[in-house]
Amino acid sequence: ITAEAERMVDEPQQVTGSVNPVSGPHHNFTSPEPVGVVTYIPEPQFDLVQIVSRIAAIVASGNVAVVLMHEKG
């Protein structure tokens, strides 16, 4: 676990967003802010449907998707 993750677990009141109850010794944090620009590099064997579904999730959460495709050849 990184130092930032340990800080969030130790001090959840300083994290923006909300804390959802989950079972076990885990924390589930949600943040309403989008990340910004997300780069997505799909595997060469992915179908168009798989790529579009992942891009749709990125855009639906308020982010911008930059997709880097492999060249066919």
Side-chain angles (χ1 to χ4, degrees), residues 11-66:
E11 303 169 4
Q13 68 274 9
Q14 294 183 0
V15 178
T16 59
S18 62
V19 179
N20 299 323
V22 292
S23 62
H26 305 287
H27 294 281
N28 184 6
F29 297 105
T30 59
S31 177
E33 297 112 18
V35 176
V37 178
V38 177
T39 303
Y40 174 59
I41 306 172
E43 296 290 326
Q45 68 270 16
F46 273 11
D47 295 355
L48 181 61
V49 174
Q50 291 173 317
I51 295 170
V52 170
S53 67
R54 289 187 172 77
I55 294 171
I58 293 170
V59 173
S61 61
N63 297 304
V64 176
V66 176

